[in-house]
């Protein structure tokens, strides 16, 4: 089922684009969608950021996952997906 009318993509000041949900979610942790792309290590992500510095858009996502007492960083490049 196409549920695209329930979300909108908006420009976030100084951040790029974000996905906004148009309705109240029933529970914390409700699944909204999937960000698909190539998983990169931090060095590769930094190299791509430098290469795309002058580009109008880039598709890098940094996801910080908190596990116990540490933060695990995952970098995703969705440019070709």
């Amino acid at each position: 089922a196409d549920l695209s009318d329930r979300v909108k993509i908006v420009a976030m000041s100084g951040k790029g684009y974000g996905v906004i949900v148009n309705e109240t979610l029933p529970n914390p942790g409700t699944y909204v969608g999937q960000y698909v792309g190539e998983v990169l290590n931090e060095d590769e992500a930094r190299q791509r950021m430098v290469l795309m510095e002058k580009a109008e858009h880039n598709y890098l996502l940094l996801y910080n996952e908190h596990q116990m007492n540490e933060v695990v960083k995952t970098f995703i490049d969705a440019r070709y997906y």
Side-chain angles (χ1 to χ4, degrees):
D2 180 12
L3 303 175
S4 60
D5 62 328
R6 296 184 182 183
V7 298
K8 62 183 174 180
I9 298 173
V10 298
M12 308 299 284
S13 178
K15 298 283 184 181
Y17 290 88
V19 177
I20 304 297
V21 180
N22 292 328
E23 58 190 55
T24 302
L25 297 175
N27 300 302
T30 298
Y31 177 80
V32 175
Q34 179 177 347
Y35 197 94
V36 178
E38 178 184 1
V39 177
L40 309 172
N41 65 38
E42 188 166 356
D43 291 336
E44 181 67 22
R46 290 186 187 283
Q47 288 174 13
R48 291 193 189 181
M49 285 190 284
V50 169
L51 290 173
M52 293 186 288
E53 229 171 28
K54 293 182 174 69
E56 183 179 355
H57 301 289
N58 76 59
Y59 301 92
L60 290 176
L61 170 76
L62 166 58
Y63 175 73
N64 289 322
E65 183 177 353
H66 299 267
Q67 295 180 356
M68 302 296 273
N69 293 329
E70 75 175 295
V71 176
V72 177
K73 294 181 179 181
T74 301
F75 297 87
I76 301 172
D77 185 349
R79 178 180 17 190
Y80 301 113
Y81 293 85

